[in-house]
Amino acid sequence: MYNHLEQYTFKTMDTVFIKNLILSGKHGVYSDERKHEQEFVVDIQLYTDLKKPGETGGIQDTVDYSKVKKIAEEIVQNSTEYLIEKLASRIASKILNAYKSIEKVSVSIQKTEIWKNGTPGVTIVRTQNENWRIIWSRTSFQR
């Protein structure tokens, strides 16, 4: 009955995550937002296979979330972007470049200080396959 499923392999997708990472940066469409630091809350979810580190208990077999945190800190605190979409995309791309074992990454960024009532934000999802297409397209046409 399910013979057509034999051609597909199903892979377990585990997650490593960082929630409520509070960072300061100068990002936004308006010039005032880019002059004065404001608070951003960043959530990162990394989709990968954690079977081996679950068995070995070795840090070398998993994603070191402290290094992922440093990637987010570096980008948010040391650059300026007009859109948080671009900020989230840069974080995702750098994580995927650093860890080939991560198949998919989700990055959410909230701007907590912009409104008195409500919190705007974005969530982007990028995959390792998509990341390689972007890198290839950027480099394939350069002379």
Side-chain angles (χ1 to χ4, degrees):
M1 179 174 174
Y2 296 104
N3 290 341
H4 65 283
L5 293 177
E6 290 175 13
Q7 63 185 344
Y8 300 102
T9 57
F10 296 97
K11 195 169 187 180
T12 303
M13 195 69 73
D14 303 311
T15 58
V16 173
F17 62 89
I18 299 171
K19 297 268 187 205
N20 300 316
L21 180 60
I22 299 172
L23 301 172
S24 295
K26 298 176 182 180
H27 308 282
V29 173
Y30 303 107
S31 61
D32 195 48
E33 293 178 292
R34 293 186 310 278
K35 288 179 187 171
H36 306 287
E37 284 194 347
Q38 54 188 309
E39 182 180 278
F40 296 88
V41 177
V42 179
D43 294 334
I44 301 169
Q45 193 155 4
L46 312 166
Y47 297 83
T48 188
D49 186 352
L50 296 176
K51 184 177 181 183
K52 186 174 180 182
E55 292 170 352
T56 66
I59 187 77
Q60 71 279 0
D61 296 325
T62 192
V63 176
D64 184 344
Y65 49 77
S66 66
K67 290 181 181 177
V68 172
K69 178 183 177 217
K70 286 180 185 176
I71 289 171
E73 287 172 337
E74 176 186 302
I75 291 172
V76 173
Q77 295 172 346
N78 297 326
S79 67
T80 300
E81 297 293 348
Y82 282 86
L83 299 176
I84 57 175
E85 291 87 340
K86 174 77 183 247
L87 197 61
S89 185
R90 288 185 56 210
I91 292 169
S93 183
K94 191 158 185 177
I95 290 168
L96 290 170
N97 284 331
Y99 291 98
K100 303 304 179 209
S101 63
I102 295 173
E103 295 186 31
K104 182 170 73 169
V105 61
S106 169
V107 178
S108 298
I109 300 179
Q110 298 175 57
K111 293 180 80 169
T112 59
E113 297 177 350
I114 195 165
W115 295 340
K116 290 181 181 177
N117 184 17
T119 305
V122 300
T123 298
I124 59 106
V125 178
R126 299 291 181 266
T127 65
Q128 197 62 258
N129 289 342
E130 180 181 14
N131 193 50
W132 283 111
R133 278 195 307 257
I134 291 168
I135 291 168
W136 181 82
S137 68
R138 286 182 188 154
T139 59
S140 62
F141 298 107
Q142 294 177 354
R143 295 184 183 251

